[in-house]
């Protein structure tokens, strides 16, 4: 395989470490998790909500981050870790506990789920210390900088990856981060954003990746093709030699990214990969799309991209640039909706939104910049991913559209017990995913195949419930059942709030008995009181 050359780079100055202890429930300062509904593929497979609804902890050292993980009741207890200051080798040690598996040379999210790591206050910088996810699920990393992580030289961390994921990782949202190196492999660095050995349902959004030989890969070899369903949107890749990203198998969606100074090659679709490339801006770059350094071809579907001073190499047996027209070679569907900025405005939008410390601003999908949603992952719990992710296919099916007549009901006070750790769902006569009723989104719905059907919320342990809110449409008569015993708790017609004597149960079933059309339920909310 062709090896990237040394880059014309300058090192980034370090930031002084800040000491301090862990604090619970501290107020947010400049930024915290912007929203608890992720975009792109991270919104599929049950959604990505991180530590929403869990305890909020403040950490100023890597050791404190590990302590926060280790002090949880279980490996899946939700937690939001607000990070401020510089995290480095000097303040990061291994911590032991039943709910963690940490290491001294990286921030280790291993065998855990339902975690948010978010930079707050004056900012969070992981200096020469990478973030590693292994056997993890439902993770959010937001508003942090990770820089100069090395795989050779000193100090070493995370195999040289700024953020690396491997071995059965599901539902990760990385948002508004800055990932940077100070050279290529010969200077000791590897990838900025790498995934391998069964990683699925990941979104990288509003982030900056720069000054590296390798942007990132999906699959570590031509046989590691089980990684899939990755979205990259509103990111800036700047001064990168290659791999923006390198795809080996699977499906990936790149839209509204700004690629500037890709020195050798860009999006490298290989080994049967399918890349959907929409409305990106490629500038001052070379060979921005194709199959490179192999004869194991991949494919792409393109639309609306802008090429600004892009050059192309000749084709050969192991080098197949897409060429000036970037003609599509496949078709790709994605199971989520997305608004496309026109490519011409992408550099301007990204200059105002991408990276850590930008106030979590986002695009409105019409080339204008807006503030991030005001809801916080520390305040509004939403759904954890399904415990049994669907087996991916080469082209995921398009998700059903939401019913335009779905009504939105007022949300009661208190925690929605349908969301977060310990809750799950099931359905009978289902035409769409039951997960749509427990993802915190009224834009996604569950509908049965016919005019009737059952939808349930389940818990790992007995849970006391006394109120339900059904957000939906075309519901006629219904019964609300104790799903374990079959006892009728309440019956009636229509949607809205349903109250009944507090009952401790492990399964609650909403049974649609009649309907006025195709019934749909956007949210099945459950409350203790």
């Amino acid at each position: 395989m062709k090896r990237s050359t040394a880059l014309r780079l300058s090192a980034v100055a370090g930031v002084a470490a800040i000491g301090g202890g862990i604090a619970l429930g501290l107020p947010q300062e400049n930024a915290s998790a912007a929203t608890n509904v992720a975009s792109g593929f991270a919104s599929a497979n049950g959604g990505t909500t991180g530590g929403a609804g869990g305890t909020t902890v403040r950490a100023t050292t890597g050791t404190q981050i590990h302590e926060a993980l280790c002090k949880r009741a279980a490996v899946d207890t939700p937690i939001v870790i607000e990070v401020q200051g510089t995290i480095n080798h000097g303040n990061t040690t291994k911590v032991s506990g039943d709910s963690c598996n940490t290491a001294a040379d990286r921030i280790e999210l291993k065998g855990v789920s339902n975690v948010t790591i978010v930079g707050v206050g004056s900012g969070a910088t992981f200096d020469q210390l990478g973030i590693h996810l292994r056997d993890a699920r439902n993770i959010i990393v937001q508003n942090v900088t990770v820089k100069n992580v090395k795989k050779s030289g000193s100090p070493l961390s995370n195999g040289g990856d700024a953020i690396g994921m491997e071995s059965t990782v599901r539902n990760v949202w990385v948002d508004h981060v800055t990932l940077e190196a100070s050279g290529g492999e010969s200077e000791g660095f590897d990838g900025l954003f790498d995934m391998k050995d069964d990683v699925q349902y990941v979104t990288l959004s509003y982030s900056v990746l720069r000054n590296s030989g390798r942007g990132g890969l999906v699959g570590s070899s031509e046989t590691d093709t089980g990684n899939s369903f990755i979205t990259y949107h509103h990111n800036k890749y700047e001064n990168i030699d290659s791999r923006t990203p390198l795809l080996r198998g699977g499906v990936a969606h790149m839209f509204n990214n700004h690629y500037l100074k890709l020195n050798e090659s860009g999006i490298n679709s290989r080994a049967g990969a399918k890349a959907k490339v929409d409305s990106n801006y490629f500038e001052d770059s070379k060979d921005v799309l194709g199959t490179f350094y192999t004869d194991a071809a991949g494919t792409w579907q393109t639309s609306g991209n802008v090429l600004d001073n892009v050059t192309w190499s000749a084709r050969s047996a192991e080098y197949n640039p897409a060429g000036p027209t970037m003609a599509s070679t496949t078709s790709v569907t994605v199971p989520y909706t997305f608004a496309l900025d026109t490519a011409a405005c992408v550099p301007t939008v990204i200059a105002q939104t991408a990276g850590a410390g930008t106030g979590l601003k986002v695009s409105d999908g019409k080339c204008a910049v807006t503030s991030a949603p005001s809801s916080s992952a520390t305040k509004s719990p939403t759904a954890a991913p399904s415990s049994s992710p669907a087996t991916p296919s080469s082209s995921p099916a398009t998700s059903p559209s939401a019913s335009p007549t779905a009504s939105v009901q007022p949300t009661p006070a208190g925690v929605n017990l349908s969301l977060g750790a310990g809750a799950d769902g099931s359905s009978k006569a289902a035409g769409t995913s039951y997960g749509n009723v427990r993802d915190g989104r009224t834009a996604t719905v569950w509908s049965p195949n016919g005019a009737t059907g059952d939808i349930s919320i389940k818990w790992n342990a007995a849970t006391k419930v006394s109120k339900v809110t059904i957000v939906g449409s075309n519901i006629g008569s219904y019964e609300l059942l104790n799903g374990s015993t079959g006892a009728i708790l309440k019956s009636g017609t229509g949607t809205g709030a349903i109250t009944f004597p507090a009952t401790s149960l492990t399964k609650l079933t909403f049974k649609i008995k009649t309907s006025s059309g195709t019934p749909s339920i956007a949210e099945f909310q459950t409350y203790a009181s």
Side-chain angles (χ1 to χ4, degrees):
M1 180 182 296
K2 184 177 179 181
R3 180 58 258 136
S4 59
T5 59
L7 301 175
R8 286 82 46 205
L9 306 171
S10 59
V12 181
V15 182
I18 298 175
I22 295 179
L24 298 178
L26 290 178
Q28 300 171 41
E29 295 184 38
N30 293 338
S32 188
T35 175
N36 38 18
V37 179
S39 55
F41 273 116
S43 69
N45 191 43
T48 302
T49 60
T55 301
T56 298
V57 175
R58 180 66 59 88
T60 59
T61 70
T63 300
Q64 290 168 5
I65 294 173
H66 286 160
E67 287 175 345
L69 293 169
C70 294
K71 289 180 178 179
R72 296 180 301 158
V75 295
D76 61 353
T77 302
I79 188 169
V80 176
I81 304 174
E82 297 181 336
V83 183
Q84 183 173 4
T86 299
I87 310 302
N88 56 32
H89 286 74
N91 61 34
T92 301
T93 57
K94 176 180 174 63
V95 178
S96 299
D98 292 338
S99 60
C100 64
N101 188 349
T102 68
D105 60 351
R106 70 198 72 184
I107 298 302
E108 187 77 279
L109 303 177
K110 183 177 181 180
V112 301
S113 59
N114 308 327
V115 177
T116 293
I117 294 178
V118 56
V120 298
S122 58
T125 298
F126 295 78
D127 186 12
Q128 303 183 80
L129 197 76
I131 299 174
H132 182 232
L133 284 68
R134 183 182 180 94
D135 301 313
R137 135 182 337 266
N138 193 28
I139 308 295
I140 294 174
V141 178
Q142 189 172 52
N143 199 43
V144 303
T145 295
V146 186
K147 66 179 186 178
N148 293 333
V149 179
K150 286 192 171 185
K151 70 172 184 177
S152 63
S154 179
L156 304 180
S157 178
N158 199 29
D161 298 335
I163 295 179
M165 297 171 241
E166 63 179 310
S167 183
T168 318
V169 174
R170 295 289 185 274
N171 288 87
V172 178
W173 181 32
V174 178
D175 177 64
H176 282 90
V177 303
T178 298
L179 308 178
E180 58 188 18
S182 295
E185 187 177 31
S186 61
E187 287 78 31
F189 305 100
D190 196 15
L192 296 177
F193 194 67
D194 277 12
M195 290 161 271
K196 59 186 179 181
D197 189 19
D198 192 22
V199 176
Q200 298 175 6
Y201 301 104
V202 176
T203 295
L204 175 67
S205 59
Y206 294 100
S207 295
V208 174
L209 298 85
R210 63 188 175 209
N211 299 342
S212 177
R214 298 167 170 173
L217 59 76
V218 181
S220 60
S221 69
E222 308 293 66
T223 59
D224 182 19
T225 57
N227 310 277
S228 190
F229 310 129
I230 318 296
T231 301
Y232 304 81
H233 76 88
H234 292 93
N235 304 300
K236 184 175 185 178
Y237 287 82
E238 182 176 11
N239 195 21
I240 305 288
D241 277 353
S242 62
R243 301 187 181 183
T244 66
L246 163 59
L247 307 171
R248 291 177 166 119
V251 174
H253 186 197
M254 301 83 173
F255 69 91
N256 285 158
N257 300 294
H258 183 197
Y259 300 90
L260 176 64
K261 296 182 180 178
L262 306 185
N263 301 312
E264 296 184 5
S265 61
I267 300 168
N268 187 351
S269 180
R270 298 163 58 163
K274 301 178 73 171
K276 181 173 173 61
V277 185
D278 295 323
S279 296
N280 301 282
Y281 196 100
F282 298 93
E283 182 178 3
D284 296 341
S285 296
K286 177 184 177 183
D287 294 338
V288 298
L289 173 66
T291 295
F292 307 115
Y293 321 126
T294 182
D295 59 2
T299 57
W300 47 84
Q301 177 183 325
T302 62
S303 68
N305 300 286
V306 168
L307 304 182
D308 180 359
N309 191 31
V310 171
T311 60
W312 299 93
S313 301
R315 294 181 179 179
S316 66
E318 295 189 352
Y319 203 87
N320 182 26
T325 65
M326 295 212 313
S328 297
T329 60
T330 192
S331 61
V332 187
T333 59
V334 295
Y336 51 84
T337 59
F338 56 100
L340 279 175
D341 294 309
T342 59
C345 73
V346 163
T348 300
V349 168
I350 288 179
Q352 300 174 67
T353 58
T358 54
L360 300 175
K361 295 177 181 178
V362 297
S363 169
D364 67 352
K366 300 177 182 178
C367 290
V369 172
T370 183
S371 298
S374 59
S375 61
S376 167
T378 64
K379 298 179 181 179
S380 304
T382 53
S386 163
S387 60
S388 299
T391 301
S393 62
S394 60
S395 179
T398 303
S399 62
S401 59
S403 168
T405 59
S407 58
V408 179
Q409 309 293 337
T411 301
V415 174
N416 179 1
L417 302 174
S418 302
L419 310 177
D424 204 342
S426 63
S427 58
K428 291 183 179 179
T432 53
S433 172
Y434 68 77
N436 290 337
V437 306
R438 52 178 302 277
D439 61 2
R441 305 169 64 194
T442 57
T444 59
V445 302
W446 169 82
S447 289
N449 285 327
T452 62
D454 297 357
I455 184 76
S456 300
I457 298 295
K458 304 185 295 184
W459 294 272
N460 294 335
T463 301
K464 184 176 289 187
V465 184
S466 67
K467 180 179 283 187
V468 165
T469 295
I470 300 295
V471 181
S473 61
N474 298 330
I475 307 297
S477 60
Y478 70 80
E479 289 179 347
L480 189 67
L481 309 174
N482 182 327
S484 299
T485 66
I488 299 174
L489 303 174
K490 197 72 176 278
S491 60
T493 59
T495 58
I498 305 169
T499 58
F500 53 96
T503 304
S504 183
L505 40 72
T506 57
K507 182 177 181 180
L508 186 62
T509 299
F510 185 80
K511 183 184 209 48
I512 301 171
K513 301 190 71 179
T514 64
S515 59
S516 58
T518 301
S520 66
I521 297 178
E523 288 297 295
F524 184 174
Q525 302 168 348
T526 56
Y527 300 90
S529 61

